[in-house]
Amino acid sequence: MDHLDPSTLIKIEIATRFLPNQSDAESHRFVFSYEITITNENNQAVKLLSRRWVVTDGNEHVQEIEGEGVVGEQPVIPAHDSYKYTSGTVLATRVGSMFGHYTMETAEGERFNAPIPAFTLAQPNALH
């Protein structure tokens, strides 16, 4: 049996939103939410154990965030199913970016990292 790298069968889609009600430009506080859909195209369930984010703001200030699970959960994503969650971050600038990876484990106990592609966080019309 061919052994496929399980990380290549994890698809990650990201939708971002600027939250003007929670942001305050004078305080250099720009709040963004992001909705992530993780699709498991493997033939077995995977469990999301932890996450690692690298967040960069418009001043090139880099923040690394690591922790167990996502939004307080360590979800098990069944084979050929998806898991969706929404979280957020605060930047000191109107524009920034994020990327990282999820550490996951297959039902057989194999651990792997599923890369999260870089995405941009930007206040609408941030460039005048």
Side-chain angles (χ1 to χ4, degrees):
M1 182 173 119
D2 289 332
H3 183 77
L4 288 171
D5 177 353
S7 70
T8 62
L9 296 173
I10 300 295
K11 303 294 179 235
I12 297 172
E13 296 172 275
I14 302 134
T16 64
R17 228 161 42 107
F18 174 66
L19 303 177
N21 308 359
Q22 297 176 36
S23 300
D24 180 4
E26 288 177 21
S27 304
H28 301 285
R29 177 183 162 86
F30 299 91
V31 182
F32 299 88
S33 72
Y34 50 88
E35 181 184 79
I36 298 195
T37 304
I38 304 166
T39 301
N40 176 16
E41 296 180 349
N42 286 282
N43 288 323
Q44 62 177 314
V46 297
K47 182 176 185 177
L48 193 159
L49 300 175
S50 63
R51 70 193 181 285
R52 180 173 183 275
W53 288 108
V54 177
V55 184
T56 306
D57 72 14
N59 296 327
E60 299 299 312
H61 173 77
V62 176
Q63 183 183 5
E64 295 189 30
I65 302 163
E66 293 187 59
E68 287 192 357
V70 290
V71 294
E73 297 180 7
Q74 287 185 315
V76 173
I77 307 168
H80 306 288
D81 203 353
S82 295
Y83 174 80
K84 185 182 288 195
Y85 74 96
T86 301
S87 189
T89 193
V90 179
L91 298 179
T93 58
R94 297 172 194 276
V95 178
S97 66
M98 289 177 67
F99 72 92
H101 68 256
Y102 297 118
T103 300
M104 298 186 156
E105 187 174 70
T106 66
E108 297 168 348
E110 179 186 354
R111 287 194 176 192
F112 64 94
N113 288 336
I116 304 165
F119 59 94
T120 300
L121 302 162
Q123 176 184 2
N125 308 316
L127 308 171
H128 292 294

